[in-house]
Amino acid sequence: MNPDSAIALRHRALVAAPRAEVVALAARLAGRHEVRPHALPQEGLVLLTLEDGVFRDHFHLGELAVATAEVEVAGVRGGACLVGGDREWAEAAAVCDAVVAGRLAGVDEVEQLLATGWDKIGQTASERAAMRAATRVRFAELGEEPPC
Amino acid sequence: MLKLESLWGEASQSRLHRSLIAAIARPGEVVDSVSWLGGRRAWLGVLATLADGGTTLHDLHGLIDERDWAMLGANRAGWGDAAFVLADAARAPADDLRLDRGSLIRPETGATLVLDCAQVGSGTGSEILRGPGVDGQRILRFDGIDPLWWRLREAHAGFPQGIDLVLCDARRIACIPRSTVLGGTTAGGGGR
């Protein structure tokens, strides 16, 4: 797997995991390892730039409130950029990210949390699929068999 | 959760910002910011306040270590393009050093030169300052500034174009914006 994809998937699961559990776990990990900031943690607005599908022009969809954090845990870098502007959550996610990236002590706990995140993502996907299914309509001309 | 050095904290940055505004508004007036620097030199406090991911910075004499570069978040640029240039005042600038002095249409793009000096507000060198923000004249004392830095400032002058100077030592800051007229000196090490 592309390492960037692995990081993106990890971040997706971290964001889906309960915030309180991520913050509590990161605090425990910070007690075990030396944690230092790599860059200044920040919260603010970023412009979301997208490319239109026809002319391939870039346009700004709008602004998003985000929080970013980059840390070094026992010399291993980790980072997070979360929508919502919650800096404490971003810092905690960055610590968890570094522990997984470096396979440091405590990685099992983080992976359990990631599994919780994936469960939540799966549950949300199922709920949305059920909601979409309830709105399905079948179009059929008179005399034709309805499409399956 | 993350423990930031006090220099990078919001309270210190806010106070440093206010100090810088006061220093720029009153050229040559020395601001002591030791309480907010956490033991770091004043130039880092100045850059921490002014630089971010939207600005460009050039470190002429390699004063910034990689860790501080990451914390500053500024983009590296050549000395001719950088919005902020940091230099060791004791070392003479190269003859061909040309900073961005802005243009008549966009004078605000003129560079800010941050000089790390041995002393600001005391010392054997001095300059007499006149102009906006100075009631009559003000004498700024300093030590450890190579005279060629003053010549560099003159070479870039031509208001509204020009470069702004921020002089820093271990804990003190003084500003000499491009609108300030330097005239007359007293004898002393490093002065003109």
Side-chain angles (χ1 to χ4, degrees):
Chain A
M1 182 188 290
N2 179 340
D4 288 344
S5 303
I7 293 171
L9 289 172
R10 187 157 76 225
H11 284 192
R12 196 176 162 209
L14 267 175
V15 173
R19 177 195 185 280
E21 288 182 32
V22 176
V23 172
L25 175 58
R28 287 200 300 278
L29 294 169
R32 280 190 225 171
H33 303 288
E34 186 196 9
V35 178
R36 52 194 311 171
H38 179 75
L40 206 57
Q42 296 185 74
E43 51 203 56
L45 296 173
V46 295
L47 266 179
L48 183 62
T49 306
L50 295 179
E51 184 183 85
D52 86 60
V54 180
F55 297 109
R56 304 288 176 199
D57 286 335
H58 289 89
F59 67 98
H60 300 306
L61 184 67
E63 290 176 324
L64 280 177
V66 297
T68 61
E70 281 184 68
V71 299
E72 283 177 29
V73 180
V76 180
R77 279 178 63 181
C81 177
L82 304 189
V83 175
D86 184 336
R87 200 164 83 183
E88 188 184 28
W89 193 4
E91 290 175 6
V95 170
C96 293
D97 180 55
V99 167
V100 175
R103 309 299 298 173
L104 303 173
V107 66
D108 296 343
E109 293 174 74
V110 180
E111 285 179 339
Q112 276 179 9
L113 202 58
L114 294 180
T116 308
W118 282 117
D119 287 346
K120 174 73 177 163
I121 290 168
Q123 187 185 337
T124 306
S126 301
E127 286 170 6
R128 287 179 179 170
M131 290 162 72
R132 278 198 306 274
T135 62
R136 178 173 293 170
V137 291
R138 293 186 172 192
F139 295 99
E141 297 288 334
L142 278 176
E144 284 183 6
E145 288 295 315
C148 298
Chain B
M1 174 182 303
L2 286 182
K3 288 175 187 154
L4 293 171
E5 281 182 82
S6 63
L7 170 72
W8 305 104
E10 287 170 15
S12 292
Q13 299 257 313
S14 172
R15 285 169 181 150
L16 279 164
H17 186 251
R18 271 184 249 155
S19 300
L20 262 178
I21 288 177
I24 290 169
R26 293 189 284 275
E29 194 166 291
V30 178
V31 176
D32 193 325
S33 31
V34 67
S35 316
W36 314 309
L37 294 170
R40 310 296 298 272
R41 286 188 73 80
W43 60 259
L44 186 59
V46 169
L47 291 179
T49 307
L50 297 177
D52 60 22
T55 59
T56 49
L57 172 62
H58 183 79
D59 181 10
L60 205 55
H61 297 128
L63 301 179
I64 309 174
D65 64 31
E66 283 305 313
R67 195 169 288 279
D68 286 334
W69 266 111
M71 291 297 283
L72 289 168
N75 300 299
R76 297 174 202 238
W79 40 256
D81 302 315
F84 298 99
V85 176
L86 172 67
D88 179 352
R91 295 165 67 173
D95 291 340
D96 60 347
L97 182 63
R98 294 287 176 274
L99 308 184
D100 185 355
R101 62 195 290 268
S103 62
L104 286 174
I105 305 257
R106 299 195 59 200
E108 75 278 8
T109 61
T112 298
L113 176 61
V114 181
L115 290 177
D116 183 29
C117 313
Q119 288 189 69
V120 175
S122 58
T124 51
S126 66
E127 282 282 354
I128 298 174
L129 282 63
R130 297 184 181 83
V134 180
D135 186 9
Q137 67 176 40
R138 182 174 289 135
I139 297 175
L140 174 63
R141 298 200 170 277
F142 52 82
D143 240 345
I145 301 180
D146 189 282
L148 288 179
W149 288 111
W150 303 117
R151 213 172 290 169
L152 182 89
R153 180 183 186 269
E154 281 176 9
H156 287 74
F159 193 81
Q161 293 165 276
I163 58 173
D164 304 307
L165 295 187
V166 182
L167 309 182
C168 308
D169 66 8
R171 61 185 212 178
R172 292 171 295 190
I173 300 165
C175 296
I176 306 180
R178 69 191 71 175
S179 57
T180 299
V181 178
L182 299 182
T185 54
T186 59
R192 286 193 291 186

